[in-house]
């Protein structure tokens, strides 16, 4: 069973040999007002989401492990830094 082509979103490029290692942390509840700004395709085993909250931004990683969704996130930082990291991630230069 394939995933219909027209529903595909952004796919992150395969990881390049030279890449930045993202420091993934367990999320700490800080605010309910988190806005998704961009996300990778839901057909992938691991999904990434660029999020904004309270004037800061961060990336979320969602993985299904043993039937449960496990969420990690980057540090919350200024939007420009988070967007830069997001672009690296999409190009396979950070993961
Ligand atoms: Zn897809």
């Amino acid at each position: 069973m394939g995933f219909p082509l027209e529903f595909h979103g952004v796919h992150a490029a395969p990881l390049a040999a030279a890449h930045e290692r993202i420091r993934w942390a367990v999320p700490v509840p800080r605010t309910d007002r988190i806005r998704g700004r961009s996300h990778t395709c839901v057909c992938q085993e691991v999904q990434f989401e660029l999020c904004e909250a309270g004037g800061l931004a961060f990336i979320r990683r969602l993985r299904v492990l043993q039937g449960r969704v496990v969420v990690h996130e980057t540090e919350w930082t200024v939007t420009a830094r988070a967007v830069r990291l997001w672009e690296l991630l999409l190009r396979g230069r950070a993961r």
Side-chain angles (χ1 to χ4, degrees):
M1 279 265 291
F3 189 74
L5 263 184
E6 62 268 35
F7 296 123
H8 280 274
V10 177
H11 286 189
L15 193 55
H19 65 270
E20 199 173 307
R21 286 190 72 90
I22 297 175
R23 197 181 284 263
W24 296 105
V26 175
V28 179
R30 298 178 216 213
T31 172
D32 295 334
R33 302 164 92 186
I34 294 174
R35 208 157 56 86
R37 177 173 159 149
S38 195
H39 64 88
T40 59
C41 190
V42 294
C43 83
Q44 302 291 295
E45 253 172 63
V46 182
Q47 283 162 45
F48 298 99
E49 242 178 35
L50 177 60
C51 303
E52 286 179 321
L56 296 174
F58 60 97
I59 298 170
R60 250 186 199 158
R61 181 183 67 183
L62 298 95
R63 296 178 298 173
V64 177
L65 296 175
Q66 295 167 342
R68 291 180 53 225
V69 179
V70 178
V71 182
H72 285 92
E73 63 187 33
T74 64
E75 61 171 342
W76 291 32
T77 183
V78 293
T79 302
R81 271 189 65 172
V83 168
R84 181 190 150 271
L85 188 60
W86 177 250
E87 284 165 359
L88 288 174
L89 187 151
L90 291 185
R91 284 191 256 127
R93 309 307 297 243
R95 202 67 49 93

